[in-house]
Amino acid sequence: MTSHEVTLEWTDGRTRTLDVAERQSVLEAAQRVGARLPYDCRSGTCITCVGRLLGLEDGESDDEDASRPDVGDAFAYRRQPRALTDDERDDGYVLLCIASPQADCRIEVGPRVRAEVGDSPWA
């Protein structure tokens, strides 16, 4: 079975690397090992679980001046991530409850990322 390493990075400096199996969401892998991530709908219709892709294992930079890695190269979605706009997806935001990694990567998580995206489009 294929799996990928996903490193979660909180703004307070904590990190946690997860082994995420093919077809498993990042949220499911985090819960399996006791790493706490916020979530609500589990279907990609709210933004409670949002994270932001920082880089791929191939060494792409998370430098703000560098172009962001393509979320489409890093994740496959179980269903359409309805709570994110095209611009938000282009900016690297990922709904971790329905996203399965396709490459080893690093993701910023936590309240600051959630605040950057704003309220749920359904609120």
Side-chain angles (χ1 to χ4, degrees):
M1 179 184 302
T2 303
S3 65
H4 296 284
E5 286 190 356
V6 175
T7 300
L8 306 175
E9 298 183 13
W10 285 266
T11 54
D12 64 5
R14 290 179 295 141
T15 64
R16 179 94 184 241
T17 299
L18 311 171
D19 188 36
V20 185
E22 183 179 29
R23 304 183 64 81
Q24 185 178 43
S25 74
V26 175
L27 176 63
E28 291 166 342
Q31 290 181 323
R32 180 176 40 84
V33 298
R36 295 185 64 173
L37 291 176
Y39 66 94
D40 190 10
C41 73
R42 291 182 165 262
S43 61
T45 59
C46 76
I47 59 167
T48 304
C49 67
V50 71
R52 190 170 193 188
L53 179 64
L54 295 174
L56 300 175
E57 178 60 29
D58 66 3
E60 287 191 44
S61 171
D62 60 354
D63 182 339
E64 290 293 326
D65 295 329
S67 63
R68 288 209 168 268
D70 187 345
V71 171
D73 291 340
F75 293 97
Y77 279 113
R78 293 179 176 169
R79 59 184 64 89
Q80 179 71 17
R82 302 173 78 92
L84 293 176
T85 66
D86 291 342
D87 287 343
E88 290 166 339
R89 287 193 296 266
D90 290 346
D91 284 343
Y93 294 102
V94 180
L95 297 179
L96 303 177
C97 70
I98 59 170
S100 300
Q102 305 299 296
D104 296 351
C105 60
R106 298 177 11 256
I107 305 169
E108 182 180 17
V109 295
R112 187 176 84 187
V113 177
R114 166 70 170 74
E116 290 171 354
V117 177
D119 292 330
S120 169
W122 315 114

